Amino acid sequence: VDAANEELIQNIDKIGISLLALFTAQAIFSYFRVALFVDVTENTLAALRNTTYERLICLPMTFFVNRRVGELNSRLASDISLLQDTLTTTIAEFLRQFILIIGGIAFLSLTSVKLTLIMLSVVPLLAIIAVIFGRYIRKISRSVQDKIADSNTIVEETLQGISNVKAFTNELFEIARYQKSTADIVQQALKGGKARGAFASFIILAIFGAIVFVIWYGVRMVNAGELSIGSMFQFVLYSVFVGASIGGIAELYASIQKAIGATERIFEIIDETAEDVVLYKQEINLEKLRGNVVFESVQFAYPSRKEIEVLKNISFSAKSGEQIAIVGPSGAGKSTLVSLLFRFYEPQNGAIKIDGKNIKDYPLTYLRSQMAVVPQDVLLFGGTIKENIAYGKPNASFEEIVEAAKKANAHTFIESFPDKYETLVGERGVKLSGGQRQRIAIARAVLKDPAILILDEATSSLDSESERLVQEALEKLMRGRTSIVIAHRLSTVKTADKIVVIDKGEVAEMGSHEELIKNEKGIYRHLSSLQLEWAE
């Protein structure tokens, strides 16, 4: 008995020294884990955000047609943020526990190879269960992030249309819509939590069940004289140590699987095929286009509605410096022509040529840099007036910005503001009137100095005084460049060199105002008479 006690004391000393060395190593490792992992994580997340945003902004219009802004914003914000905790703490802790398990198994092997093999026999079962569970938890986590994206979309849409919400007194409806969305998030999250809890419980039961079996078997080995009491005691201590680490690693593994599932959508965006845009404009050294535009038998249907042909055999031309008006009923396909000219979409048949060359043969960034559009619904960014005008030419000097504003009849009203060109326009330009926003958009186009100008119903929503100022600015802007004017108000296109009438996706008529108004059965004359009656 004395010899056994002496052996036990000696083994305890060895165990104590070993554990002290192990914990010292763990403390050192923990310091580097905090210092290095945070550094690496923050840089990795920044790179991931930049890569995702860069890819997102370079994706074609077909991608954005099927997705809402709130959802994409959630991918960049919520999904990537979920990685932060995983990369800073979870993975580091996972590695720490993994190293402890390997070290513990090594100590167990030195004590008794036979008992170690018995204990490790449970590992294959755990691995199979972990793989099955991992797939399940990834699926749930992905579903949770999808629900979060849906709720973010509701918030974004509601706040963007807050004036409509209040005008229709639909606050209660929006609150109920958001509550339902958050309830869906909770339901999915609870489902994932229960699954992770069940997995962790199974791991703990399996590991400590194996430890109990090993203790039972070890006692039999001691009785048989195959193992000393000291070695048995030592093995039990190491087993508990390893078992606790494996129990902890199960929850960490579940958290990693959750993060992987949540960020699968991010990698889907990164894997999307981007447009062939040049991000650094100095790489483009081509001459300015003359602006001869030709549509040759163009046919087009939107990818999401392939069965509906929007444009059917469209053919017309615009010579350099000409003003071409596109008119027709709503839904005739007028704005689709603009989308095709910018190559937001590709026609299924036919060709669009500029200066005798198919637009597909021009570098995409160069092609778009030669065109400018003044839309009906002007979108201004939430910065200053100066920044919004400079969007047409980011490296423009302040003198160039002021000159562009003067040509757009915008300088006078800008100077009337206390902060002048540094005036903040508010989100989407809400602090400016429709006519003011329109003239800022014209100044932006002036600064870009395009070869081809597209006016998409640019004056249709303005009052008479604003329309006069905007029309004057547009006339200055159209001089000397090819202009394609899409308009509902036929009074604005009377001076056009050529008017193309589109109806049901086809060219119904073509000619000058004088020529078309003579055709008593023509669509142009019919639209003209309707507008005259409305005006009366």
Side-chain angles (χ1 to χ4, degrees):
V1 177
D2 290 340
N5 287 339
E6 188 176 336
E7 184 188 353
L8 180 60
I9 290 168
Q10 287 175 351
N11 282 330
I12 287 174
D13 290 342
K14 289 178 184 177
I15 293 167
I17 292 168
S18 299
L19 289 176
L20 183 62
L22 196 62
F23 287 131
T24 303
Q26 182 182 346
I28 295 169
F29 180 79
S30 293
Y31 169 78
F32 285 106
R33 172 175 63 86
V34 173
L36 296 177
F37 267 81
V38 169
D39 187 355
V40 171
T41 296
E42 292 305 326
N43 284 301
T44 301
L45 288 177
L48 183 59
R49 282 192 176 97
N50 290 334
T51 301
T52 306
Y53 184 73
E54 184 178 308
R55 178 49 60 97
L56 185 63
I57 212 164
C58 292
L59 291 176
M61 286 296 293
T62 49
F63 174 85
F64 295 100
V65 167
N66 299 317
R67 289 164 178 83
R68 295 188 291 183
V69 174
E71 178 199 342
L72 296 174
N73 188 41
S74 182
R75 301 297 170 212
L76 278 169
S78 303
D79 290 15
I80 292 180
S81 293
L82 191 64
L83 274 176
Q84 191 156 16
D85 287 340
T86 303
L87 292 176
T88 48
T89 53
T90 307
I91 289 180
E93 186 64 22
F94 184 89
L95 290 174
R96 184 178 73 86
Q97 296 283 19
F98 186 74
I99 290 169
L100 289 176
I101 290 167
I102 297 299
I105 290 171
F107 280 116
L108 287 173
S109 300
L110 293 173
T111 307
S112 172
V113 174
K114 188 175 182 181
L115 285 178
T116 303
L117 291 174
I118 292 172
M119 188 172 176
L120 293 180
S121 63
V122 76
V123 169
L125 175 63
L126 296 181
I128 292 168
I129 297 297
V131 169
I132 295 170
F133 162 78
R135 288 176 181 171
Y136 180 66
I137 203 67
R138 278 204 303 272
K139 181 181 175 183
I140 292 176
S141 183
R142 182 169 172 164
S143 175
V144 168
Q145 292 307 114
D146 285 346
K147 297 293 183 185
I148 291 172
D150 290 342
S151 70
N152 286 344
T153 299
I154 291 170
V155 172
E156 182 136 0
E157 289 177 346
T158 303
L159 296 182
Q160 282 181 350
I162 191 67
S163 58
N164 285 326
V165 173
K166 292 189 173 296
F168 284 92
T169 61
N170 265 342
E171 289 90 346
L172 183 61
F173 171 77
E174 293 298 340
I175 290 168
R177 196 159 69 109
Y178 188 68
Q179 284 178 343
K180 182 181 182 303
S181 179
T182 52
D184 289 342
I185 296 170
V186 171
Q187 186 179 4
Q188 286 296 317
L190 288 175
K191 196 174 177 183
K194 289 173 183 176
R196 290 200 306 277
F199 178 67
S201 298
F202 170 78
I203 295 294
I204 290 168
L205 183 65
I207 288 298
F208 286 99
I211 290 172
V212 169
F213 179 76
V214 164
I215 291 171
W216 173 81
Y217 194 83
V219 169
R220 295 188 57 130
M221 288 177 69
V222 170
N223 287 336
E226 297 177 26
L227 190 70
S228 66
I229 294 176
S231 295
M232 175 64 193
F233 182 69
Q234 184 178 336
F235 192 90
V236 170
L237 275 178
Y238 290 152
S239 295
V240 172
F241 188 71
V242 170
S245 294
I246 292 176
I249 212 170
E251 182 60 29
L252 296 172
Y253 173 77
S255 297
I256 291 170
Q257 291 301 315
K258 178 184 174 184
I260 291 171
T263 53
E264 281 178 346
R265 297 287 192 202
I266 287 289
F267 293 107
E268 283 179 10
I269 292 173
I270 293 172
D271 290 339
E272 287 278 347
T273 303
E275 289 183 313
D276 186 22
V277 294
V278 177
L279 297 178
Y280 305 99
K281 291 187 178 179
Q282 62 266 31
E283 294 179 21
I284 301 172
N285 296 309
L286 297 174
E287 292 181 7
K288 188 171 180 177
L289 292 173
R290 294 191 302 278
N292 295 302
V293 179
V294 178
F295 278 71
E296 291 182 353
S297 305
V298 171
Q299 291 178 296
F300 176 73
Y302 284 100
S304 57
R305 305 190 304 273
K306 291 183 180 179
E307 71 283 356
I308 303 172
E309 201 169 32
V310 180
L311 299 177
K312 307 167 188 174
N313 201 34
I314 294 284
S315 296
F316 67 89
S317 62
K319 293 178 183 176
S320 178
E322 273 191 336
Q323 181 184 338
I324 303 296
I326 310 289
V327 301
S330 294
K334 303 186 297 296
S335 295
T336 303
L337 292 171
V338 177
S339 296
L340 294 179
L341 196 56
F342 273 98
R343 284 193 65 198
F344 294 156
Y345 304 96
E346 301 290 350
Q348 277 80 38
N349 287 301
I352 303 170
K353 295 180 180 178
I354 297 178
D355 294 350
K357 186 176 176 181
N358 195 311
I359 60 173
K360 292 180 181 179
D361 298 330
Y362 287 106
L364 190 58
T365 304
Y366 167 72
L367 176 71
R368 291 175 181 170
S369 72
Q370 298 293 302
M371 295 185 281
V373 61
V374 180
Q376 176 184 6
D377 184 19
V378 175
L379 171 66
L380 297 183
F381 298 95
T384 63
I385 288 175
K386 183 179 77 174
E387 288 168 346
N388 272 282
I389 295 175
Y391 204 76
K393 185 181 175 184
N395 59 349
S397 66
F398 182 65
E399 289 72 23
E400 288 177 301
I401 291 169
V402 171
E403 186 59 33
K406 287 178 179 176
K407 288 179 180 177
N409 286 349
H411 181 71
T412 304
F413 85 75
I414 294 171
E415 285 292 311
S416 70
F417 294 138
D419 294 327
K420 299 181 174 25
Y421 282 83
E422 296 299 327
T423 301
L424 293 171
V425 300
E427 188 171 344
R428 300 175 67 87
V430 292
K431 292 184 180 178
L432 301 179
S433 70
Q436 289 171 338
R437 288 200 300 272
Q438 211 74 31
R439 281 175 276 166
I440 294 293
I442 293 168
R444 187 190 285 172
V446 169
L447 198 58
K448 190 174 184 182
D449 189 26
I452 300 165
L453 176 68
I454 295 141
L455 308 176
D456 193 354
E457 301 179 24
T459 62
S460 64
S461 59
L462 303 180
D463 59 77
S464 299
E465 177 60 20
S466 294
E467 184 180 355
R468 183 185 64 79
L469 290 167
V470 170
Q471 197 63 44
E472 281 179 13
L474 289 174
E475 285 168 8
K476 293 178 197 172
L477 180 57
M478 286 189 283
R479 285 179 201 143
R481 67 185 91 241
T482 307
S483 303
I484 297 174
V485 182
I486 295 173
H488 274 310
R489 291 188 189 178
L490 302 187
S491 58
T492 63
V493 300
K494 286 181 180 179
T495 57
D497 297 300
K498 188 191 296 178
I499 298 171
V500 180
V501 182
I502 306 286
D503 185 37
K504 297 175 182 176
E506 297 180 288
V507 175
E509 297 173 282
M510 200 182 320
S512 65
H513 169 75
E514 290 75 19
E515 291 168 347
L516 295 176
I517 207 73
K518 290 176 185 176
N519 184 357
E520 294 182 6
K521 295 183 180 179
I523 295 172
Y524 184 81
R525 175 158 175 164
H526 175 65
L527 290 172
S528 225
S529 61
L530 283 176
Q531 290 192 11
L532 282 172
E533 286 174 17
W534 181 258
E536 290 171 3

